[in-house]
Amino acid sequence: MITQLPILQVVIPLIAAPLMVLLRHGTAAWLLAVGVSWASLAIALGLLSEVAGGGLVSYALGSWPPPWGIEYRVDSVNAYLAVIVSMVAAVVVVYMRRSVAEEVPQEHHYLFYSMYALCLAGLLGIALTGDGFNMFVFFEISSLATYVLIALGRDRRALMAAYQYLIMGTIGATFFVIGVGLLYLMTGTLNLADMAARLPDVTDPRPVLAALAFITVGVSLKLALFPLHLWLPNAYAYAPSAVTAFLAATATKVSVYVLLRFYFSVFGETAVFRALPTGSILLALSLAAVFVASVVAIFQGNVKRMFAYSSVAQIGYITLGVSFDSATGLTAGIVHLFNHALTKGALFLLLGGIALRAAAMRFDDLRGMGRLMPLTSFGIVLGGLSLIGVPGTVGFVSKWYLVVAALEQGAWWIAFLVVAGSLLALAYVWRFVEAAYFHAPDPKMAAGPGEAPLSMLVPAWLMIAACVYFGLDTGLTLGGAGEAAQVLLKGKW
Amino acid sequence: MVTGATAIILALAVPSVGAALIACAHRAPNLRETVTLVTATILFAVVASIAPEVLAGARPQARLLEVMPGLEIAFTVEPLGMLFALVATSLWIVTSLYSIGYMRGNHESHQTRYYACFALSLASAVGIAFAGNLFTLFLFYEALTLITYPLVTHHGTDEARRAGRLYIGMLVGTSIVFLLVAIIWTWTVAGTIEFEAGGILRGKTSNTTIGGLLALYIFGIGKAAVMPIHRWLPAAMVAPTPVSALLHAVAVVKAGVFTVVKVVVYVFGVDAIAGLKSVDWLPFIAGFTIIAASIVALRSDNLKRRLAYSTISQLSYVVFAAALLTPLSVMGAALHIAAHAFGKITLFFAAGSIYTAAHKTQVSELDGIGRRMPWTMGAFAVGSLSMIGLPPAVGFVSKWYILSGAMASEQWGAVAVLVAGTLLSAGYLLPIVYRAFFVRAAAAGAAHEAHGEAPLSIVVALSVSALATVALFLFPDTLLALSRQLAGTG
Amino acid sequence: MNIASHYSYWVTMFLVIGGLYIVIARGNLVKKLIGVAIFQTSVYLLYIAPGKLIGGTAPIITEQFQVYSNPLPHVLILTAIVVGIATLALGLALVVRIREAYGSIEEDEILTRDRDGER
């Protein structure tokens, strides 16, 4: 059983998806989705404990030994990622019941959960597979499911958002597969570990460089690295609330992992960061992401869009950590992967509660929310504090490590820019505070129901509580991130 | 008898539990206020129970948890923290008493939120006072800013919202951009951020870096209100007067200067940076703030605004004294934290008392008010004496040590600044006392003038704090002992 | 480098650039999808062309044949084609829904309508 964990992680949600379609029943599909998500979490935790301390689990699909067959290769990096994804899934799926019932037509429910299961399967597949082409396929599985999920949003703009994401996402995935194809041509293998072993023997470096460029651009589109983020704000703003929370916490994070895997485990740190100015380019783009996206966020009229732009900025912090190419920097990036997944997931879950009453999510609709929905509003404030990086929240841990990483390299100006970015976060978070707490509620709204239902509040607050807990006890998150960084820097997979 | 470590945890837990109880008792105002008073009293008793140990030379410690490798939430009670905690918690009792009269007298709304936030801000202040390292200090420093935000914006008006923006923007902004970087920089340079007598940066880095770090600390600790990071303090005066009194004359601003003194003594080390070229700009900045803020105070007609600028000026006395880098002046800095607290809270109490009884906010309206409110204006006079530094008020003691420090090290420019500051503070406070008692009120509408003293609890509170100002002049032994230990001259 | 021997790459690059150009330059949502489809097709060529050896046969192990073509790219591209079809189908389905919601499939008209809706 233990040896089958890697494949079960992917196959369970993958099989559940068509089952849900056959069931044709919303509640049954939801129950199945809950079971699948919780099973995924259990499996991911099992895998993580299996590889803790530098272990490696290799699973040969269909018993075809690698490098000929497809291999699932799990180390502490992708086990950590699988835990993030399935943990968010396990929380969000509980929340989905009420939120989806409100936002998606009844006859589409079973399809919704089916797409959700596919998306989960895709994301977990990307995380675990050790095969380049298989990764592309999972990329597309998760992306196609995502396009559908976004298009199910109530606003008609959700359709355009899904379409734009489809175009951009397909271009990104195709760029990625072109890069993989070039590597395949040069090395004759698709197994990433095998590829890494053979790359040093390649005599002509030009196709390899082209592959690096294609993969970088393709994955950057997926992870919404500035300036390739244009699909993200609309997609997040108009998707159903539960979808936004799930995607914001997982999809971009998985793409960051792919970038890390290719940079450190396939091409190798020396080729990417020492021989090429990748670090400087990534640094410049990350800082631009932090500042441009944060400033744009401040001027948004729609709360969901504001936090979507904030996501672009926070992704900038993650890639900033990567760009330092040091143990501390990588640790900062990876721990922020986790921390931001928690924070943004929680924030979008809470916003989903508000969406029940103010569908348009404009700042004017938030008047008096502090009084109407005190728990939801206070949760959003706490999540906002984590975005700012106030001590006692997870955001502070990330920021501390980023600044240490910058100072280690003597780049004190980067340290200042990192903390200055927090000020912009303060500005946009405070817009919510002032809207929610400094106005009397609209009488129309005040007559409506009060807090969001418990089945939505509890999961959201669970994540907010985790934001604070992991801000004070970082043994698990920082330990995992540190180990992942060590494994990545070692280079061998 | 509780031991030091337990007492430290208790000192943090008591106000937090108190806040929770206050929130539970929101339907029963009398019960709620009783809880506040009881909590304040217990807290003071707990804090005071640690004092004998510290006076005997012990340094009680408590470690809560390790947040990141090398970063702990840990507490160590040393003399300066003891002093600050004693001042803040003892004045909380008085302020609670005062709050009851003020909040009821002015029919303020959201009183439960008010009392709960007040209790939590005291917990943060105690956390700052007892912090054993820079990380813990920073944690509670930020907590104090955030928890006082609802108090500053209590009235929820547009003006309060704008003031709140300035408050949160300047305090959180400076602390994240400068203070946090300074702390992390200290960590990377010194390898530790635990406070240690003699300083942790001693001999670890170049003089230029020391200068840069000091600048980051001074401007990062926005609560110390050194110009040009002072604008938030007058803005925060939109809050109800008890908030201005305890938080913006005692807990918040004192947390600022406390942090400055703590950093100078325990991170840099007084004698380690004495005479360094790279730090000699600090007395100029502080001196400038003393003079400039006094001049602004002199020209303000609004009473609370005048007191706010007076606070800015007096806070810089502490920074200035610490910046002189002599044992005597450091002692004076510690003393002045306490001295100014008692004096200024009395002045704010009086201002709030006038507002409650007479609804007056401008200095020019106060002609002859001393006859109708003799207790209030009497206390105001005592507070003024303490601000100026005249006996029989405790302000005299602290100014004496600061001046002695300046003279002993023959820094004549500093002496001149101190003298000028004293004259200016006399210039902006004494005319108020003069107006109140010796100028006859212009004949105005009788109905408007028909008021007597403020409610009893207000009068009691301000009399107690005025008495304490005098009592500390007569019996300054505990204060002196603690500050001597800090300066290492005892 | 012999241009003639690399002609399949030239065709691939032409399709990549042509497809991307259509996506960027056209405002019609269906035409954009056609551009994406062309762009994806280029990848099929990129994978399959190098797998073919002149004179090679299918990889059937007998004594008669020594030279085999690589079958793996074919299998991969079979998958990629499926993905491409799925993407195109989903994209077209979205366009149908967009046309129902907006009454247009021209990008600029849709954006104008959204902007008017905001007001």
Side-chain angles (χ1 to χ4, degrees), chain A residues 41 85 99 104 113 127 135 166 179 207 219 222 244 247 274 298-299 321 323 336 346 370 372 386 415 449 478 482 487:
Chain A
L41 179 60
V85 172
S99 175
V104 178
Y113 291 115
M135 203 178 255
L166 179 131
V219 178
K222 284 281 183 186
T244 308
L247 290 183
R274 305 277 162 80
I298 295 173
F299 293 103
S323 78
H336 197 50
L372 295 178
S386 176
L478 216 49
V487 168

Side-chain angles (χ1 to χ4, degrees), chain A residues 385 388 390-392 396-397 400-401 403-404 407 415-416 419-420 422-423 426 430 433-434 438-439 471-472 474 478, chain B residues 65 67-69 71 73 135 138-139 142 146 149 153 156 161 165 168 173 176-177 180-181 183-185 187 216:
Chain A
L385 293 182
I388 300 168
V390 170
F396 178 75
V397 180
W400 178 280
Y401 265 74
V403 173
V404 170
L407 287 179
F416 276 111
V419 289
S422 304
L423 283 195
L426 178 71
W430 231 252
V433 173
E434 294 191 351
F438 284 89
H439 293 285
L472 291 174
T474 58
L478 216 49
Chain B
L65 76 164
V67 171
M68 287 180 246
L71 284 192
I73 298 186
F135 170 69
F138 186 67
L139 180 76
E142 295 291 60
L146 294 170
Y149 175 78
T153 57
R161 194 179 63 188
R165 253 186 220 175
I168 210 91
I176 287 185
V177 175
L180 179 60
V181 173
I183 291 173
I184 300 180
W185 198 346
W187 198 51
L216 285 179

